[in-house]
Amino acid sequence: MYAFAAFLPILVTIILMAAFNWPAKKALPISWLLSCIIALTIWQMDFQHVLGYSIYGVGKAFDVLVIIFGAILILNTLKQSGAMATINNGFMGVSKDRRVQAIIVGWMFGAFIEGAAGFGTPAALAGPLLVGLGFPPLAAALVALIFNSTPVSFGAVGTPIAGAMSTIAGNLNNAGFDAARTAEFNLALAKYVALFHSMCGVFVPLLGICLMTYFFGKEKSLKHGLAAAPFAIFAGICFVVPYLITAWTLGPEFPSLVGSLIGLVIVVLAAKNNFFTPKTPWDFPDKSEWADEWKSVVDTGDVGEAKMSLVKAWTPYVIIALILVVSRVPAFGLKAWMSAQMIKFPIPGVEGLTYNLQYLWLPGTVPFILVALLTHVIHGMNGEQISAAWKNTFKQITGAAIALVAGVAMVQLMLNSHVNAGGLDSMMTAMAKAAAGIAGASFPFFAPFIGILGAFISGSNTVSNILFASFQFETASILQMPQILIVAMQVIGGAIGNMICVNNVVAACATVGAIGVEGLIIRRNSIPCFIYAIIVAIVVSSLIYSGFNPFPIN
C-alpha cells in the first residue's frame, strides 16, 4: 500500500502526459501537489518539512534552468545574428549522397548542437537543414531524432548527468560520502555512461541510414543503407572515440562537445575526399513520387542566407569550448576557485539544510550567457536582434521552468520523506523495495526502459534522470547490485528515449512542417530505440551478474 501511494504522483504524471496529452508544465505541478498531500497525510510529515524540501527542490531546479537558459540563449543569438545560417550553408557542398549528408548534418552537427545546447534543439535544427538539402520532411525529422541519442547524456555540457546527481546526492550523503567522494562518483558515472553508449553509438549512423533507405528509398530496401556501412561506422568511430576519451579524462561536461568537434572535422574531410564513401550516390525518389505523408504541410522556407564568414560564425562556439576547458581542467587553476564561489540560502523550517548557488560554476552563466553577450558585439548585432534573442529564450524557458521546478520539488520531497512522524521509509525507498521485490534479479533488464519511459513522458533526459535516478539507485542498493551501473542505464535510457519522446517528436515535425505524422515517427523510431536499449541491458546485465562493481558503495 505504501509503495503504491508513493508511486501515485509518478503514475498520475504518466497518465496525464501519455494518455491525456498534457504538457509537463501542467502535469508535474499537479503531481507535486499530490506528493505533498501524501507526505502530509500517509507519511505524517509536518508542514515545515514538506515546504522546506520543496523549496530546496526549487533551488536545485534553478541550477538546471540556468544551464538551459544559457544554452538556448546562445542558439537564439546565433540564429538572430545569421551565424547559424552560415554554419548550415557550409555543409551543403560537401557531398551529393543523401546518406553522407544525413550523417554529417544529423549525426555529427546534431551531436555538436546537443553538446552545446541540448534540450531537443539538435533535431529541431538538423531537420530543417536536411529539408533545405532536399530531404523529404518526414525523413529529415525521423533520421534527426534517431541520431539524437548517443550524445544526449552529455548534452548542454553534461546537464543530464547533473540532473541525476542532483537527486542521488542525497543517497550518496546517506552513504557517508563527502564532496570529494561524490565528485568521484560523478566522474565514474560519466565514464560508464560513455562506455556503454559508445558500444552502440558506433552503429547508430548505420542504423539511421538503413531505416532511411528502407522507408524512403525507391526500392524500400536496407541494402542501400548497408552499402554505406564503411562510412557510417567510420563516422560513428570518429565521434565515440574522442567522446569516450573525454568522458574518462575530463568528466561529463565535454564528451559530446569534444567528440563532435573532432569528429565533424574528420568526417567532413573524409567525405570531401571520398574516403569510405559509397561508390554510387544514393538519392530519394523524385518529388513527384513522394507519398503525401513525406511532405511538409506548411511552407518552412529555406535554411537562410550566409552573410558572414564561417570563421566568424563559429567563433562563439570556439570561445565556449576554450572557456569550458580552461575552467574545468584543474591544471589551469580556475576550477577550484570558480566552484568555491557561491551564495548560500538556508532553507526555512529544516535545520541544517542549505541551497548553495555556485553562480560562476554553472555553465549557463560562464560561458553561455557571457559568450552570448560577447557575440552581440562580435557579430555586430543590432538592438532588435538582441532583443529578439533574449525574448525568444525567456519564452522558450517558461514551460521548462514550471515543469522542472515542480518535478525536482516533488523528487526532493519524496527523497526526504523519511523525516516523518510515522517512522516510515522515504517514498523513494518504499518504491524501490517494491520494485526490487517484483523484478528481483531481472531488474537490470528494466533499468534502461525506466529511463526511456521518463524521457517519453517528460521530453527530457534530464527530467527523466531527476524523476528516476534516485529510485534506480535505491533499488540497486536493496538488490545489492552496483548502483553506478544501474544509474548509468537510467541515464542511457533517458538519452535513447529522445528518439521517441513526444516533445522532441512534435518539435522536430513542427520545424520541418510534417504535421500530423508524429505517431508514425514514434512507431518507426521505436525500432532503433528498442534495439539500442536491449543491447545496453544485455551488456550491463552480463557485467552485473559476473560480479563486476567498478564503484562499491557499501
Side-chain angles (χ1 to χ4, degrees), residues 422-469:
L424 300 173
D425 291 328
S426 71
M427 296 184 200
M428 202 65 74
T429 300
M431 285 192 294
K433 284 182 176 178
I438 294 169
S442 65
F443 183 75
F445 286 96
F446 293 94
F449 291 96
I450 292 170
I452 290 172
L453 174 65
F456 178 78
I457 63 172
S458 70
S460 165
N461 189 181
T462 299
V463 177
S464 177
N465 293 344
I466 288 169
L467 287 173
F468 293 120

Side-chain angles (χ1 to χ4, degrees), residues 346-366:
I347 304 300
V350 185
E351 185 179 352
L353 186 62
T354 302
Y355 162 63
N356 299 317
L357 174 60
Q358 295 174 289
Y359 55 92
L360 289 183
W361 186 245
L362 291 174
T365 51
V366 180

Side-chain angles (χ1 to χ4, degrees), residues 373-395:
L373 295 172
L374 291 174
T375 303
H376 298 341
V377 178
I378 294 170
H379 289 176
M381 297 173 66
N382 58 40
E384 186 179 346
Q385 292 171 323
I386 294 170
S387 175
W390 284 82
K391 282 181 180 178
N392 290 340
T393 303
F394 276 111
K395 191 182 297 182

Side-chain angles (χ1 to χ4, degrees), residues 377-547:
V377 178
I378 294 170
H379 289 176
M381 297 173 66
N382 58 40
E384 186 179 346
Q385 292 171 323
I386 294 170
S387 175
W390 284 82
K391 282 181 180 178
N392 290 340
T393 303
F394 276 111
K395 191 182 297 182
Q396 288 173 255
I397 201 73
T398 304
I402 296 169
L404 275 171
V405 165
V408 180
M410 178 178 73
V411 170
Q412 287 298 328
L413 178 58
M414 295 173 80
L415 280 172
N416 293 287
S417 52
H418 63 281
V419 183
N420 61 70
L424 300 173
D425 291 328
S426 71
M427 296 184 200
M428 202 65 74
T429 300
M431 285 192 294
K433 284 182 176 178
I438 294 169
S442 65
F443 183 75
F445 286 96
F446 293 94
F449 291 96
I450 292 170
I452 290 172
L453 174 65
F456 178 78
I457 63 172
S458 70
S460 165
N461 189 181
T462 299
V463 177
S464 177
N465 293 344
I466 288 169
L467 287 173
F468 293 120
S470 181
F471 163 75
Q472 301 253 32
F473 185 101
E474 291 208 23
T475 306
S477 299
I478 292 166
L479 292 169
Q480 297 184 324
M481 292 180 176
Q483 295 92 336
I484 197 161
L485 298 184
I486 297 294
V487 174
M489 285 199 284
Q490 157 63 40
V491 176
I492 293 168
I496 300 168
N498 268 248
M499 295 186 193
I500 58 170
C501 79
V502 177
N503 287 16
N504 284 4
V505 172
V506 170
C509 288
T511 55
V512 299
I515 311 300
V517 294
E518 293 85 357
L520 176 62
I521 286 182
I522 290 173
R523 289 194 298 274
R524 288 180 174 178
N525 281 10
S526 294
I527 299 169
C529 180
F530 179 81
I531 292 171
Y532 203 141
I534 199 66
I535 291 173
V536 169
I538 291 170
V539 170
V540 183
S541 297
S542 300
L543 292 173
I544 290 172
Y545 297 147
S546 71

Side-chain angles (χ1 to χ4, degrees), residues 8 21 53 70 114 143 148 155 159 183 213 217 302 357 420 476 524 526:
L8 196 56
N21 249 352
Y53 287 121
E114 180 61 48
V143 76
N148 190 34
T159 305
T213 60
D302 55 32
L357 174 60
N420 61 70
R524 288 180 174 178
S526 294

Side-chain angles (χ1 to χ4, degrees), residues 66-348:
V66 170
I67 302 172
I68 299 172
F69 180 87
I72 295 174
L73 177 62
I74 279 289
L75 200 60
N76 285 333
T77 299
L78 294 179
K79 283 182 179 179
Q80 291 296 324
S81 73
M84 194 53 66
T86 299
I87 291 170
N88 288 351
N89 285 319
F91 292 123
M92 288 192 174
V94 175
S95 172
K96 299 297 182 185
D97 192 307
R98 301 303 189 185
R99 297 163 296 187
V100 174
Q101 290 175 347
I103 289 169
I104 291 173
V105 176
W107 172 247
M108 296 306 316
F109 183 59
F112 176 77
I113 295 299
E114 180 61 48
F119 299 96
T121 53
L125 265 180
L129 175 55
L130 290 171
V131 170
L133 291 171
F135 280 57
L138 180 62
L142 181 136
V143 76
L145 286 162
I146 292 172
F147 288 156
N148 190 34
S149 49
T150 306
V152 171
S153 292
F154 302 101
V157 289
T159 305
I161 299 285
M165 290 301 297
S166 72
T167 61
I168 63 174
N171 302 100
L172 297 173
N173 184 57
N174 292 338
F177 278 40
D178 57 13
R181 186 71 170 148
T182 299
E184 288 177 15
F185 185 94
N186 184 43
L187 179 58
L189 178 61
K191 289 179 178 180
Y192 288 98
V193 167
L195 178 62
F196 302 135
H197 256 317
S198 297
M199 291 178 181
C200 291
V202 170
F203 302 102
V204 166
L206 178 60
L207 190 58
I209 61 171
C210 279
L211 289 176
M212 184 179 77
T213 60
Y214 180 78
F215 287 119
F216 301 97
K218 183 176 287 188
E219 297 179 26
K220 306 290 184 186
S221 172
L222 295 175
K223 69 178 182 181
H224 295 292
L226 294 172
F231 184 79
I233 294 172
F234 171 73
I237 292 170
C238 287
F239 172 71
V240 303
V241 169
Y243 165 94
L244 185 58
I245 292 171
T246 305
W248 278 70
T249 54
L250 299 179
E253 291 98 345
F254 302 111
S256 295
L257 204 57
V258 172
S260 58
L261 273 173
I262 293 173
L264 183 60
V265 173
I266 297 171
V267 170
V268 167
L269 288 173
K272 281 188 172 182
N273 291 281
N274 297 316
F275 184 70
F276 280 141
T277 54
K279 292 181 179 180
T280 306
W282 180 87
D283 202 351
F284 299 101
D286 187 81
K287 284 188 178 182
S288 62
E289 300 176 41
W290 289 4
D292 288 341
E293 64 191 21
W294 293 16
K295 303 173 184 176
S296 173
V297 297
V298 297
D299 181 11
T300 56
D302 55 32
V303 294
E305 182 183 350
K307 297 179 180 179
M308 66 176 70
S309 69
L310 273 172
V311 172
K312 189 175 181 180
W314 278 95
T315 296
Y317 281 132
V318 173
I319 296 173
I320 286 172
L322 288 174
I323 291 176
L324 284 171
V325 170
V326 171
S327 62
R328 263 58 181 178
V329 176
F332 289 102
L334 283 176
K335 181 176 181 178
W337 178 78
M338 288 178 66
S339 61
Q341 306 308 305
M342 65 180 69
I343 303 172
K344 297 186 177 183
F345 297 93
I347 304 300

